[in-house]
Structure formats: C-alpha cells, structure tokens
C-alpha cells in the first residue's frame, strides 16, 4: 500500500474510533429510555433515531452541512464562540459517521435492556441501592453483550460511511478522505485499479475482523455473566 492508501486507512480508523466513543454514552441512554420508559414524544424519538437508516445518506450529510456548516445556525455559533469548525474537517467526518452509525448502536442495546428482568433492579432498590446504582451494578452489566455488539456495529458502520461524509466534509486528501472516499477516488483515476482492489480487500477484511471480534467478545461476556449456564439449565 502506498502512503495515500495508508493515510486513508489511518484516518478511517481514527474517525470510526472517535465516532464510537462519542456514540456509546448517548446510545446507552437513548436505548434505556426507549426500552424502559414511556414519555411524551417517545415515538418521535424512535423515528428520529432510526431515520438515518432509511434516508439516502447524502440527505443527513446535507442537513449537517446546513446546520453545522460555517453559514449554518449552529456552525456559525460554534465558530464565533469557540472557534470550532466542523465542515470539511476530520472532526466533521466523526460527526457524520456518528449520525449514520447511531441507529445500529442503539438497536442491540435496546434489545439487551428489554431482556434484563426489571425485578432485579427492584430487588437492588429494596436493598438500598439508588436507581443509578441499580442501573450501574445490575442492568448495565447484564446488558453488556448488547452494548459490545452495538459498539462494534457502530465502529464498522463508521469505517464504511460514505454519503453523509462526502456531503458534509468533502473528499480532501489527508483531511477527510477516508477509506470509502479513497476507494471512490481511485475508481475514477486512470491506473487506480490496483489501489481500488487493495482498499476493497482491506475493507472486507476489516469488516470480517470486526464481526468476528463482536461475536467473540459477546460470547466471552455472556460466559462471564452466566448466560450460557442459564440457557443450559432451562434446556
């Protein structure tokens, strides 16, 4: 791989890592709310969370550009107040990847929270634990396989993000040209077939490695939490 290819790969890894780090805390909170609480606007929140999955990716990217660009209401405020510019920067690529990957993070965590018996939290409360303590010491550990699965899916989706990133931050070499954008670029450059093939192979390998890691981590976590033993006892 040449320096440009390595640069795109390293940038993709950095963007995916920071997008996952940014998404996990918010994803856990949103998933818990959707799984355990009824409140006004819950249906609207569900639609908002899932919307990036069904929209053409360029639409969320365009919306981010309108909101967070230097001429957008939020982007202008961030620039004038804190000197933060997101459009056409790798930090903006993190935001775009996080928006597109967030639904894939929330779904498995939400399912995991639903599978945790609420009576366990009530038992912890009767022993003097606060709601936060019960969540931290009972609910979250039991839902950990879902959190791990969601985080890996978020990371994998961020690695492959293309449309929203292109619309919001462009295709700037060394700044916003992530792995998918590099593949697109080399596909349209004479003599770029070799680089396109190499990066495509790397993309497939990374996706397979992420899925394998998710499966392994989930199995290890389930074993430590006794899920396997519980299923054997039920059988």
């Amino acid at each position: 791989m040449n320096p440009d290819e390595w640069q795109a790969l390293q940038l993709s890894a950095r963007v995916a890592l920071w997008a996952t780090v940014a998404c996990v805390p918010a994803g856990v909170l949103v998933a818990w709310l959707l799984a355990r609480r009824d409140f006004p606007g819950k249906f609207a929140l569900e639609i908002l969370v899932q919307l990036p999955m069904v929209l053409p990716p360029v639409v969320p990217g365009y919306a981010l550009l309108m909101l967070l660009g230097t001429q957008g209401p939020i982007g202008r405020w961030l620039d004038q107040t804190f000197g933060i510019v997101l459009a056409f920067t790798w930090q903006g690529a993190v935001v775009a990847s996080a928006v597109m990957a967030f639904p894939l993070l929330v779904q498995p965590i939400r399912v995991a929270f639903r599978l945790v018996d609420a009576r366990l939290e009530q038992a912890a409360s009767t022993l003097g634990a606060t709601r936060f303590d019960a969540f931290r010491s009972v609910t979250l550990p039991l839902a950990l396989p879902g959190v791990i699965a969601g985080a890996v899916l978020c990371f994998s989706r961020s690695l492959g993000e293309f449309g929203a990133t292109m619309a919001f931050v462009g295709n700037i070499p060394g700044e916003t040209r992530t792995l998918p954008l590099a593949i697109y670029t080399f596909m349209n450059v004479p003599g770029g077939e070799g680089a396109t093939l190499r990066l495509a192979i790397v993309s497939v390998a990374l996706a397979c490695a992420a899925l394998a890691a998710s499966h392994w981590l989930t199995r290890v976590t389930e074993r430590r939490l006794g899920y396997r033993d519980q299923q054997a006892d039920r059988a």
Side-chain angles (χ1 to χ4, degrees), residues 122-135:
Q122 296 171 1
S125 298
T126 60
L127 295 175
T130 63
R131 285 188 176 181
F132 178 75
D133 288 336
F135 173 80

Side-chain angles (χ1 to χ4, degrees), residues 11-219:
L11 179 60
S12 287
R14 179 169 49 161
V15 168
L17 177 61
W18 281 109
T20 304
V21 170
C23 281
V24 167
V28 169
L29 175 60
V30 171
W32 180 80
L33 287 173
L34 294 177
R36 293 299 185 86
R37 289 291 181 267
D38 290 321
F39 53 89
K42 180 178 179 179
F43 181 66
L45 178 60
E46 290 181 348
I47 292 177
L48 183 63
V49 168
Q50 299 299 326
L51 197 57
M53 292 185 64
V54 297
L55 286 174
V58 70
V59 174
Y62 176 73
L64 288 173
L65 185 62
M66 292 296 98
L67 291 173
L68 301 179
T70 54
Q71 301 305 313
I74 301 176
R76 186 187 303 112
W77 176 77
L78 288 174
D79 186 18
Q80 294 175 353
T81 306
F82 303 105
I84 297 175
V85 177
L86 294 175
F88 306 106
T89 65
W90 75 268
Q91 293 90 343
V94 171
V95 174
S97 296
V99 168
M100 298 306 297
F102 194 70
L104 292 178
L105 172 76
V106 170
Q107 190 58 31
I109 302 177
R110 180 183 183 182
V111 172
F113 281 142
R114 282 183 172 177
L115 294 176
V116 176
D117 193 340
R119 291 174 297 182
L120 297 175
E121 298 175 359
Q122 296 171 1
S125 298
T126 60
L127 295 175
T130 63
R131 285 188 176 181
F132 178 75
D133 288 336
F135 173 80
R136 178 179 56 84
S137 60
V138 177
T139 309
L140 187 57
L142 291 175
L144 193 56
V147 176
I148 293 173
V152 174
L153 286 174
C154 179
F155 182 84
S156 302
R157 179 64 181 84
S158 298
L159 278 177
E161 166 51 34
F162 176 81
T165 302
M166 175 71 88
F168 183 41
V169 300
N171 185 10
I172 305 172
E175 181 66 32
T176 64
R177 181 172 291 173
T178 56
L179 193 60
L181 293 173
I183 293 174
Y184 173 79
T185 300
F186 287 124
M187 284 179 60
N188 292 277
V189 172
E193 295 83 1
T196 302
L197 179 60
R198 285 192 296 271
L199 292 179
I201 292 173
V202 169
S203 298
V204 173
L206 288 174
C208 291
L211 292 174
S214 173
H215 181 70
W216 178 76
L217 288 171
T218 301
R219 291 190 64 180

